[in-house]
Amino acid sequence: FFFSSRRRHTRCSGVSWARRCVQETEIRHKKEIERRMHPRTKEDFEILYDELELWRLNETNKIKENTSLTADQKREAMKQLLEKESELLQTCLLYTSDAADDLLCVDLGG
Protein backbone atom coordinates (compact mmCIF):
# COMPACT_ATOMS: atom_id res chain seq x y z
CA PHE A 1 0.00 0.00 0.00
CA PHE A 2 2.77 2.43 0.87
CA PHE A 3 4.52 1.81 -2.49
CA SER A 4 1.28 2.32 -4.41
CA SER A 5 0.52 5.53 -2.56
CA ARG A 6 4.04 6.82 -3.07
CA ARG A 7 3.94 6.04 -6.79
CA ARG A 8 0.63 7.86 -7.12
CA HIS A 9 2.13 10.87 -5.32
CA THR A 10 5.13 10.83 -7.65
CA ARG A 11 2.85 10.63 -10.69
CA CYS A 12 0.83 13.58 -9.41
CA SER A 13 4.00 15.54 -8.78
CA GLY A 14 5.10 14.80 -12.34
CA VAL A 15 1.79 16.04 -13.71
CA SER A 16 2.01 19.08 -11.48
CA TRP A 17 5.56 19.76 -12.65
CA ALA A 18 4.57 19.37 -16.32
CA ARG A 19 1.62 21.71 -15.85
CA ARG A 20 3.89 24.26 -14.19
CA CYS A 21 6.38 24.00 -17.06
CA VAL A 22 3.61 24.59 -19.60
CA GLN A 23 2.36 27.58 -17.62
CA GLU A 24 5.87 29.04 -17.37
CA THR A 25 6.36 28.57 -21.12
CA GLU A 26 3.05 30.30 -21.82
CA ILE A 27 4.00 33.19 -19.53
CA ARG A 28 7.39 33.58 -21.26
CA HIS A 29 5.66 33.51 -24.66
CA LYS A 30 3.18 36.20 -23.59
CA LYS A 31 6.03 38.36 -22.27
CA GLU A 32 7.91 38.01 -25.57
CA ILE A 33 4.80 39.04 -27.51
CA GLU A 34 4.33 42.00 -25.16
CA ARG A 35 7.96 43.04 -25.69
CA ARG A 36 7.39 43.08 -29.43
CA MET A 37 4.03 44.80 -29.29
CA HIS A 38 5.06 47.39 -26.68
CA PRO A 39 8.86 47.64 -26.59
CA ARG A 40 10.24 49.64 -23.67
CA THR A 41 13.90 48.71 -23.19
CA LYS A 42 16.98 48.90 -25.38
CA GLU A 43 16.92 45.09 -25.62
CA ASP A 44 13.27 45.14 -26.75
CA PHE A 45 14.16 47.52 -29.58
CA GLU A 46 17.23 45.51 -30.55
CA ILE A 47 15.03 42.42 -30.90
CA LEU A 48 12.50 44.38 -32.94
CA TYR A 49 15.09 45.83 -35.32
CA ASP A 50 16.88 42.48 -35.68
CA GLU A 51 13.61 40.79 -36.59
CA LEU A 52 12.79 43.56 -39.05
CA GLU A 53 16.18 43.11 -40.70
CA LEU A 54 15.69 39.33 -40.95
CA TRP A 55 12.24 39.85 -42.45
CA ARG A 56 13.65 42.33 -45.01
CA LEU A 57 16.46 39.96 -46.01
CA ASN A 58 14.06 37.03 -46.38
CA GLU A 59 11.64 39.06 -48.49
CA THR A 60 14.47 40.41 -50.65
CA ASN A 61 15.74 36.87 -51.26
CA LYS A 62 12.25 35.68 -52.18
CA ILE A 63 11.96 38.44 -54.78
CA LYS A 64 15.45 37.90 -56.21
CA GLU A 65 15.03 34.11 -56.40
CA ASN A 66 11.58 34.24 -58.02
CA THR A 67 12.34 33.23 -61.60
CA SER A 68 8.77 33.81 -62.77
CA LEU A 69 9.07 37.58 -62.27
CA THR A 70 10.36 39.88 -64.97
CA ALA A 71 12.96 42.53 -64.17
CA ASP A 72 10.22 45.18 -64.03
CA GLN A 73 8.10 43.03 -61.72
CA LYS A 74 11.09 42.45 -59.43
CA ARG A 75 11.77 46.18 -59.37
CA GLU A 76 8.13 46.85 -58.45
CA ALA A 77 8.22 44.16 -55.76
CA MET A 78 11.40 45.69 -54.31
CA LYS A 79 9.73 49.11 -54.33
CA GLN A 80 6.74 47.70 -52.42
CA LEU A 81 9.09 45.99 -49.98
CA LEU A 82 10.89 49.29 -49.37
CA GLU A 83 7.57 51.03 -48.72
CA LYS A 84 6.52 48.33 -46.25
CA GLU A 85 9.89 48.48 -44.51
CA SER A 86 9.56 52.26 -44.23
CA GLU A 87 6.13 51.88 -42.63
CA LEU A 88 7.49 49.36 -40.16
CA LEU A 89 10.44 51.60 -39.28
CA GLN A 90 8.04 54.49 -38.69
CA THR A 91 6.07 52.26 -36.35
CA CYS A 92 9.29 51.39 -34.50
CA LEU A 93 10.05 55.09 -34.15
CA LEU A 94 6.58 55.66 -32.69
CA TYR A 95 7.28 52.89 -30.19
CA THR A 96 10.56 54.61 -29.32
CA SER A 97 8.71 57.87 -28.76
CA ASP A 98 6.09 56.14 -26.60
CA ALA A 99 8.78 54.45 -24.52
CA ALA A 100 10.59 57.77 -24.05
CA ASP A 101 7.32 59.42 -22.98
CA ASP A 102 6.75 56.64 -20.45
CA LEU A 103 10.21 57.25 -18.99
CA LEU A 104 9.52 60.98 -18.69
CA CYS A 105 6.18 60.54 -16.92
CA VAL A 106 6.82 61.11 -13.26
CA ASP A 107 4.16 61.24 -10.59
CA LEU A 108 4.82 64.42 -8.65
CA GLY A 109 2.17 63.54 -6.10
CA GLY A 110 0.04 66.56 -6.95
Side-chain angles (χ1 to χ4, degrees):
F1 176 78
F2 176 74
F3 177 74
S4 174
S5 173
R6 189 170 192 199
R7 189 170 57 180
R8 197 173 324 123
H9 174 71
T10 302
R11 194 176 334 138
C12 289
S13 295
V15 169
S16 219
W17 177 81
R19 187 175 297 128
R20 199 167 355 138
C21 286
V22 168
Q23 289 172 343
E24 288 173 5
T25 301
E26 289 174 355
I27 289 169
R28 271 195 308 273
H29 181 69
K30 287 179 182 178
K31 285 182 181 180
E32 288 300 316
I33 290 172
E34 180 64 22
R35 289 179 75 181
R36 285 164 178 78
M37 297 299 295
H38 304 286
R40 296 285 177 238
T41 66
K42 179 182 176 184
E43 293 79 20
D44 293 348
F45 285 101
E46 286 175 359
I47 289 170
L48 208 54
Y49 285 112
D50 288 346
E51 288 181 354
L52 178 60
E53 180 64 13
L54 284 174
W55 170 81
R56 186 191 62 79
L57 290 172
N58 286 332
E59 293 300 311
T60 300
N61 287 335
K62 284 180 193 176
I63 293 168
K64 287 180 177 180
E65 293 171 359
N66 189 337
T67 56
S68 67
L69 294 177
T70 66
D72 286 339
Q73 290 171 324
K74 286 184 180 185
R75 202 171 8 264
E76 181 62 29
M78 291 298 281
K79 179 183 169 194
Q80 291 173 359
L81 176 61
L82 179 60
E83 289 172 1
K84 182 63 177 174
E85 181 184 17
S86 295
E87 290 174 18
L88 293 171
L89 284 169
Q90 287 174 349
T91 301
C92 289
L93 289 173
L94 288 174
Y95 288 151
T96 305
S97 177
D98 289 347
D101 288 347
D102 288 349
L103 288 175
L104 293 175
C105 290
V106 177
D107 183 12
L108 299 176

